[in-house]
Amino acid sequence: MKIALFDDYKVGVVKGDGIVDVSEIVGWDSAQPQASLVSLMSRYGHLQSVIEEGISDARIIPLQAVRLRASVPYPSKIVAAPVNYYLHQDEMNVQFNNAQYTVENLGFFLKAPSSIIGPGDTVLLPFRDRRTDHEAEIAFVVGRDAKDVPASEASKYIFGYFALMDITVRGKEDRPWRKSFDTFTPIGPWIVTADEMGNPNEVDLKLWVNDELRQATNTRTMIYDCYKFFEAASSVMTLRAGDIITTGTPEGVGPIVDGDTVRIWIERIGEFSVHVAYK
Ligand code: MN
């Protein structure tokens, strides 16, 4: 199932190129979208069949007629993998000489949840004289509280998957500073539930700036796959239902500038775009 937030933070299920409003069926409170999402996830085992029955003959709204919103709008934290693809490590060493280590030594970092934006929104660049890059990543939302979860059990704690851009100012400041400016975490286009997603560690991932393909990989080339990274993160901190985990970018990162359109696509998830402008 593809679960999307749209318009004034209603919740819907995506069917082809349309969406069905299921806010009433699931008891959704648009004024509290994050709490409503956590509640939905905790009841999904029961709700799944209720939703499917409820939408069988429901009105389908064309996706073009709605405004998609960030599908996980207010997590308590965003846990992010540094250097988690070997080819990205190579390019960072060549260009910046600052990636001697990978996720295995660096652990992880946190991005500010206030940096989240949704599909069609605009990334605002704070500097005209500093390089700011796109990073294409597969991310997921934690379905229930988790601590010390081994990789072999991690899939039971992941509710669903989506695409994430980890926008990054290059330079010597610590990662949370360089990656936490407002608008620096576009996510979307919706959550693909784990049962529909299947194995997240074998999907194609691509990113374009305007019409130029900048990044293309398959998630099987990650150093820590989604489940192993879940284990690493949950060994340190309690992951709360509704938290976001993002798994790092492959090679091909590059600058974005005023006027660009950035599009990310992940196999079995879908795609979305954001605009870029100077702040
Ligand atoms: Mn990243």
Side-chain angles (χ1 to χ4, degrees), residues 81 109 135 137 166 168 179 248-249:
F109 63 93
E135 295 191 350
E137 311 196 358
D166 176 17
T168 304
K179 293 166 173 282
T249 193

Side-chain angles (χ1 to χ4, degrees), residues 9-239:
Y9 290 92
K10 292 180 285 206
V11 67
V13 170
V14 175
K15 290 279 175 193
D17 53 7
I19 185 168
V20 177
D21 187 342
V22 297
S23 303
E24 264 186 47
I25 297 174
V26 304
W28 187 269
D29 178 1
S30 293
Q32 303 281 345
Q34 182 74 21
S36 292
L37 175 64
V38 171
S39 170
L40 183 156
M41 293 191 299
S42 72
R43 294 177 291 132
Y44 185 69
H46 161 70
L47 277 179
Q48 187 173 8
S49 56
V50 175
I51 294 171
E52 275 161 9
E53 220 165 275
I55 65 174
S56 57
D57 56 358
R59 187 171 75 96
I60 298 180
I61 310 163
L63 274 172
Q64 287 174 331
V66 305
R67 178 179 175 187
L68 290 174
R69 300 287 191 167
S71 28
V72 185
Y74 305 106
S76 76
K77 54 188 171 293
I78 304 170
V79 183
V83 190
N84 194 21
Y85 289 82
Y86 287 116
L87 289 176
H88 175 56
Q89 181 190 27
D90 291 348
E91 77 180 347
M92 296 315 282
N93 275 323
V94 168
Q95 296 181 54
F96 299 103
N97 192 32
N98 67 352
Q100 302 146 18
Y101 302 109
T102 70
V103 64
E104 293 177 282
N105 321 84
L106 291 167
F108 55 81
F109 63 93
L110 297 176
K111 289 193 80 166
S114 45
S115 63
I116 290 172
I117 59 173
D121 288 344
T122 299
V123 173
L124 295 174
L125 304 177
F127 306 111
R128 291 166 189 244
D129 58 348
R130 299 231 2 213
R131 177 172 156 177
T132 303
D133 283 2
H134 55 79
E135 295 191 350
E137 311 196 358
I138 184 172
F140 51 86
V141 58
V142 176
R144 56 192 172 105
D145 292 3
K147 182 69 174 60
D148 296 323
V149 175
S152 58
E153 299 288 311
S155 66
K156 297 175 185 169
Y157 291 81
I158 297 172
F159 179 73
Y161 297 82
F162 49 92
L164 182 149
M165 300 181 198
D166 176 17
I167 306 297
T168 304
V169 176
R170 295 296 168 205
K172 294 203 182 309
E173 297 89 352
D174 280 349
R175 283 182 174 83
W177 187 95
R178 294 188 287 109
K179 293 166 173 282
S180 286
F181 289 89
D182 285 1
T183 73
F184 270 28
T185 310
I187 65 171
W190 37 66
I191 300 167
V192 177
T193 54
D195 57 307
E196 179 166 322
M197 185 71 189
N199 184 357
N201 302 311
E202 56 169 22
V203 291
D204 285 336
L205 163 66
K206 292 181 181 175
L207 180 142
W208 296 259
V209 176
N210 304 319
D211 288 325
E212 180 191 352
L213 179 65
R214 292 271 188 93
Q215 297 188 267
T217 193
N218 187 285
T219 57
R220 73 171 66 89
T221 63
M222 285 193 286
I223 298 171
Y224 278 6
D225 71 16
C226 292
Y227 304 148
K228 178 74 176 165
F229 188 55
F230 192 104
E231 173 183 299
S234 80
S235 75
V236 174
M237 55 179 68
T238 298
L239 303 174

